[in-house]
């Protein structure tokens, strides 16, 4: 496999930039620039020189011998001063050698997958960790990156292989007197795995929400103070406010970190019957987004009827409470009254939901587990129909095992890999 190199840290000026080289000739390529390398997994300061001997920079150099490296190959890293010109000059020298090429997006991580250093779920966990903006996202991504999901899948896979082996043995000795009935053990194995997969599937929605963000829709009639409240929450003029009804036509989004959870507040169009075609389109869009949101905050009086009804966990508050001195049971985007209590309540609702979060964080994970669960249901049905259907039981078990293997990338899925790695930067 061709030796590759790339800037592994962020583009642009920085205190330190990291240039990574990986491949079977990585050490030779690096030695052309800095001379003798330090011992594996140790660091040393070296001068980086051009082909004519001119010093480009002084760098901290680290060398890793495969398979004990991120990619599983021989790897060398140059930790150089983060000057744009320094990085450009070193990359040019590496390119001019002709024995290494610039890495493609995500190629280092893809090599780690192909060399068994990471499974596919860990790769996705790494991508999520790079994109993490909140504490909850970081913690979830680290759980996946450290292999927790892969470990769980391996337990399921081992149990299903055991069940399939028992069934296959019974089929092989169908014409002989087999004293042991394998049905009880196979039944127990299938029930254990099915229960675990069902539990994991139930937690995927929350896990996906932690990764992509919860949505909270502000719902109310025109001039209920939704845009003013959104601006107060965001600390800036994210939405236009006006006394003219129907000012908000489109859904305006503001993303926040709420107690470590990513939360997007949606300012929707005022809900009313309208003859204005554009406003009507905005209202229809508002109703659709509000229904799809994870939580709705209704800014309305208890007797007020809107185009959408509250459901469990939804919050209803009297708006513009600053104009109603006779009550303090509401909220005001103008003065900020009631906002701390609102945020605390939203945080408590979402905090309760994330208590049941699973390890599977992507829609792809859920689909793979759902396929495996369906195959397990089919195998269990065939098992209950008796020994004459054991061949069907075995086939369904093999299908379930393959579904789980796609979850961690054990079987070939080239198109899927291309899609996943396209989201990585060049240096990863």
């Amino acid at each position: 496999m061709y030796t590759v190199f790339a800037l592994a840290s962020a583009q642009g000026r920085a205190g330190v930039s990291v240039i990574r080289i990986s491949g079977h000739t990585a050490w030779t390529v690096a030695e052309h620039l800095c001379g003798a390398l330090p011992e594996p997994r140790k660091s040393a300061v070296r001068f980086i020189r051009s082909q004519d001997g001119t010093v480009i920079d002084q760098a901290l150099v680290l060398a890793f011998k495969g398979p004990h490296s991120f990619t599983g190959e021989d790897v060398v890293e140059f930790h150089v001063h983060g000057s744009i010109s320094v990085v450009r000059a070193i990359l040019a020298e590496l390119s001019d050698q002709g024995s290494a090429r610039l890495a493609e997006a995500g190629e280092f991580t893809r090599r780690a997958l192909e060399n068994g250093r990471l499974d596919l779920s860990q790769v996705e966990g790494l991508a999520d960790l790079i994109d993490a903006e909140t504490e909850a996202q970081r913690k979830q991504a680290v759980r996946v990156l450290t292999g927790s999901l892969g470990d769980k899948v391996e337990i399921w896979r081992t149990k299903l292989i055991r069940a399939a082996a028992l069934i296959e043995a019974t089929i092989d000795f169908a014409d002989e007197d087999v004293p042991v009935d394998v049905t009880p053990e196979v039944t127990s194995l299938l029930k254990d795995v099915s229960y675990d997969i069902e539990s994991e599937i139930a937690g995927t929605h929350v896990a996906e929400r932690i990764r992509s963000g919860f949505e909270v829709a502000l719902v109310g009639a025109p001039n209920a103070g939704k845009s003013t409240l959104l601006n107060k929450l965001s600390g800036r003029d994210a939405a236009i406010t006006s006394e003219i009804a129907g000012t908000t036509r489109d859904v305006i989004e503001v993303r926040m970190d709420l107690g470590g959870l990513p939360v997007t507040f949606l300012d929707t169009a005022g809900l009313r019957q309208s003859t204005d075609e554009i406003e009507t389109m905005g209202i229809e869009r508002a109703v659709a987004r509000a229904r799809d949101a994870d939580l709705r905050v209704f800014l309305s009086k208890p007797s007020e009827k809107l185009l959408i009804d509250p459901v469990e966990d939804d919050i209803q508050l009297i708006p513009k409470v600053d104009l109603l001195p006779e009550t303090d049971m509401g909220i005001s985007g103008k003065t900020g009254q009631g906002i701390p209590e609102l945020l605390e309540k939203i945080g408590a609702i979402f905090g309760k939901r994330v208590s049941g979060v699973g390890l599977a964080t992507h829609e792809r994970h859920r689909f793979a587990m759902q396929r495996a669960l369906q195959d397990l249901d089919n195998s269990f049905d065939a098992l209950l129909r008796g020994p004459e259907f054991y061949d069907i039981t075995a086939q369904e078990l093999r299908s379930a095992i393959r579904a789980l293997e796609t979850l961690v990338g054990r079987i070939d899925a080239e198109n899927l890999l291309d899609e996943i790695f396209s989201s990585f930067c060049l240096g990863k």
Side-chain angles (χ1 to χ4, degrees):
M1 188 177 291
Y2 217 83
T3 298
V4 296
F5 65 89
L7 176 66
S9 52
Q11 296 280 349
R13 185 184 304 167
V16 175
S17 292
V18 179
I19 296 173
R20 177 183 290 156
I21 310 169
S22 180
H24 69 284
T25 62
W27 284 29
T28 302
V29 170
E31 285 172 344
H32 285 160
L33 270 72
C34 70
L37 296 176
E39 295 180 19
R41 308 183 74 81
K42 293 186 177 181
S43 61
V45 176
R46 296 285 189 271
F47 284 106
I48 308 296
R49 300 178 184 272
S50 63
Q51 294 183 35
D52 61 9
T54 304
V55 174
I56 299 175
D57 191 27
Q58 190 178 40
L60 185 70
V61 180
L62 294 91
F64 303 89
K65 197 70 176 175
H68 305 295
S69 69
F70 174 71
T71 63
E73 303 171 329
D74 289 350
V75 171
V76 177
E77 290 183 354
F78 295 147
H79 294 230
V80 302
H81 294 98
S83 159
I84 295 174
S85 62
V86 166
V87 171
R88 184 184 297 124
I90 295 174
L91 294 179
E93 286 295 326
L94 289 169
S95 180
D96 289 344
Q97 285 190 32
S99 53
R101 63 166 173 80
L102 186 66
E104 299 174 356
E107 187 167 1
F108 289 124
T109 307
R110 185 159 186 162
R111 291 186 178 207
L113 172 69
E114 292 170 346
N115 292 323
R117 300 295 292 172
L118 299 173
D119 65 37
L120 191 55
S121 65
Q122 288 177 290
V123 168
E124 291 166 316
L126 175 58
D128 291 342
L129 182 60
I130 293 171
D131 292 336
E133 298 176 350
T134 70
E135 184 66 5
Q137 290 175 326
R138 182 193 65 79
K139 288 181 178 179
Q140 178 171 274
V142 167
R143 290 169 65 202
V144 179
L145 175 59
T146 53
S148 297
L149 179 58
D151 292 343
K152 181 172 284 191
V153 170
E154 186 58 31
I155 292 173
W156 297 340
R157 183 174 172 274
T158 300
K159 289 182 177 181
L160 294 185
I161 289 175
R162 167 66 178 172
L166 291 171
I167 293 296
E168 294 281 3
T170 303
I171 294 173
D172 290 342
F173 293 98
D175 297 331
E176 302 180 20
D177 184 17
V178 180
V180 179
D181 181 9
V182 302
T183 304
E185 183 177 354
V186 173
T187 299
S188 176
L189 290 168
L190 297 188
K191 285 184 176 180
D192 286 348
V193 175
S194 295
Y195 176 80
D196 285 348
I197 293 179
E198 286 175 349
S199 299
E200 193 62 42
I201 290 174
T204 55
H205 176 73
V206 176
E208 286 182 50
R209 276 299 185 231
I210 291 177
R211 189 172 62 86
S212 61
F214 292 94
E215 288 190 347
V216 177
L218 304 179
V219 180
N223 285 336
K226 301 182 299 298
S227 297
T228 303
L229 176 57
L230 184 78
N231 289 341
K232 192 71 173 181
L233 289 168
S234 65
R236 59 185 176 86
D237 291 334
I240 298 174
T241 60
S242 170
E243 295 299 323
I244 302 174
T247 299
T248 302
R249 300 294 181 94
D250 207 348
V251 177
I252 299 172
E253 304 181 5
V254 169
R255 192 175 178 89
M256 295 176 58
D257 181 339
L258 189 57
L261 294 173
V263 177
T264 299
F265 284 89
L266 310 175
D267 177 23
T268 61
L271 303 186
R272 66 171 180 173
Q273 298 294 337
S274 175
T275 57
D276 184 293
E277 182 179 354
I278 302 299
E279 184 183 1
T280 299
M281 293 173 61
I283 292 171
E284 291 174 350
R285 183 174 296 182
V287 171
R289 286 297 299 274
R291 284 177 174 156
D292 291 340
D294 302 286
L295 184 68
R296 285 145 293 277
V297 176
F298 285 81
L299 302 182
S300 61
K301 297 178 180 179
S303 59
E304 191 174 357
K305 290 293 183 181
L306 299 171
L307 300 178
I308 182 174
D309 295 323
V311 297
E312 185 181 1
D313 281 345
D314 283 352
I315 300 170
Q316 190 160 10
L317 298 170
I318 297 174
K320 298 184 177 180
V321 72
D322 56 293
L323 303 178
L324 304 170
E326 68 278 5
T327 180
D328 58 359
M329 301 298 292
I331 195 166
S332 170
K334 185 175 182 180
T335 66
Q337 181 179 339
I339 289 181
E341 292 80 5
L342 172 63
L343 295 179
E344 183 178 353
K345 190 168 185 177
I346 293 173
I349 291 171
F350 289 150
K352 183 178 179 181
R353 294 184 187 180
V354 301
S355 63
V357 66
L359 289 170
T361 56
H362 289 251
E363 189 176 41
R364 182 187 72 81
H365 301 165
R366 184 174 69 251
F367 286 162
M369 290 188 295
Q370 287 173 337
R371 288 198 305 271
L373 190 60
Q374 181 60 57
D375 292 332
L376 288 179
D377 289 341
N378 294 339
S379 65
F380 190 68
D381 289 342
L383 179 69
L384 295 179
R385 296 172 70 180
E388 62 270 25
F389 292 93
Y390 277 4
D391 55 339
I392 298 177
T393 303
Q395 179 58 40
E396 294 293 345
L397 283 174
R398 287 192 291 270
S399 296
I401 293 169
R402 283 196 297 272
L404 294 177
E405 288 175 339
T406 64
L407 203 159
V408 293
R410 279 188 173 231
I411 63 174
D412 184 42
E414 196 67 25
N415 293 334
L416 174 63
L417 296 181
D418 289 341
E419 180 178 346
I420 290 174
F421 286 109
S422 66
S423 65
F424 280 78
C425 60
L426 288 179
K428 206 63 188 174

